[in-house]
Amino acid sequence: MKIFAVGMNYPQHNKEIKTTLLQQTAGDNPADRAPIIFTKADSALLKDHKPFFIPDFMGRVDYETEIVVRICKLGKSIPEQFAHRYYDAVTVGIDFTARDLQKKLREDSLPWEISKGFDGSAVIGDWIDKERFLNVQNIRFSLDINGRTVQEGNTSDMIYPIDRLVSYISQYFTLKTGDLIYTGTPVGVGPVSINDHLEGYLEGEKVLEFNCK
């Protein structure tokens, strides 16, 4: 199993983190550029509502709530118009990010995988068959922490839609059954603390719930 993730796929989040990686100039459309793709180790996967143990030696750790899609069959160099055939379910996931470490690595022009791919950093909720949705590019999702909504998004706001991401990733990596794609986070990321209780919702249905320790 491989875990892929997409960086900076929501315009308002890009402004939130003040990144220059997708900085626009007049007439420049980010959607015309290639998506930013990174991977997480398989040991990053955290499922079945198990607790997330915050690695305190890594400094501030932020939640990033995302729609995750599950690949359902083998595919290589998939045309975008056929990409919808290669995933069968979606859920809400958390891409945990060691923000202080990520910032330092970026400043030093070093790869920042360790700030994203550490153990337990890829949380997934319960899978929902994609056929339950009229349009996967119009799905509402949200995250509550300790009973308060802290992040909300809609897949309609993505710079790179799901089918384009599947097609693009498959140019470089053979997709296999069970592979996961974290599709990017909207505005509203923030830190987690010990004893926080997180709940993720997909169109108002709770699909994710776990505690931080």
Side-chain angles (χ1 to χ4, degrees):
M1 183 204 68
K2 301 184 291 298
I3 302 174
F4 300 98
V6 182
M8 293 163 284
N9 200 20
Y10 286 81
Q12 294 304 311
H13 171 62
N14 299 346
K15 295 178 182 178
E16 173 183 45
I17 62 174
K18 298 180 175 62
T19 181
T20 60
L21 292 179
L22 284 179
Q23 193 171 43
Q24 286 183 260
T25 58
D28 187 16
N29 182 0
D32 294 332
R33 303 184 183 187
I36 296 173
I37 306 296
F38 60 95
T39 60
K40 289 174 173 274
D42 57 3
S43 61
L45 187 64
L46 185 65
K47 58 183 181 177
D48 301 328
H49 311 288
K50 293 179 180 178
F52 171 65
F53 290 89
I54 301 173
D56 53 6
F57 68 95
M58 298 178 78
R60 169 174 164 162
V61 175
D62 282 2
Y63 60 83
E64 296 188 6
T65 311
E66 312 195 4
I67 291 293
V68 185
V69 300
R70 183 178 68 191
I71 299 300
C72 62
K73 65 178 180 178
L74 186 74
K76 174 67 176 174
S77 298
I78 303 165
E80 186 171 341
Q81 64 266 35
F82 300 129
H84 65 280
R85 301 177 181 176
Y86 288 81
Y87 57 95
D88 64 351
V90 300
T91 190
V92 173
I94 306 293
D95 167 20
F96 276 120
T97 303
R99 192 69 71 197
D100 293 338
L101 178 57
Q102 183 188 45
K103 181 175 182 293
K104 183 179 186 305
L105 291 168
R106 279 178 167 171
E107 289 173 349
D108 294 339
S109 299
L110 295 173
W112 38 268
E113 276 79 4
I114 60 173
S115 69
K116 284 279 196 177
F118 56 91
D119 288 355
S121 64
V123 188
I124 56 168
D126 301 324
W127 294 106
I128 304 295
D129 193 309
K130 73 170 185 179
E131 300 305 324
R132 284 183 49 185
F133 305 99
L134 293 176
N135 182 0
V136 295
Q137 285 306 147
N138 188 19
I139 299 176
R140 295 180 295 110
F141 60 101
S142 62
L143 177 71
D144 288 4
I145 297 183
N146 302 326
R148 181 175 67 89
T149 300
V150 296
Q151 196 172 19
E152 298 178 281
N154 192 302
T155 57
S156 63
D157 295 325
M158 288 180 175
I159 297 172
Y160 312 103
I162 293 170
D163 288 356
R164 181 175 177 188
L165 294 173
V166 171
S167 176
Y168 179 78
I169 292 170
S170 74
Q171 294 178 42
Y172 301 93
F173 304 91
T174 297
L175 295 177
K176 297 182 178 182
T177 300
D179 287 349
L180 308 179
I181 301 177
Y182 283 68
T183 58
T185 191
V187 69
V189 303
V192 289
S193 301
I194 292 175
N195 295 324
D196 278 348
H197 182 68
L198 281 68
E199 298 170 292
Y201 294 85
L202 200 58
E203 290 290 344
E205 179 178 347
K206 186 192 295 185
V207 295
L208 177 71
E209 184 173 13
F210 66 99
N211 295 312
C212 293
K213 294 187 176 181

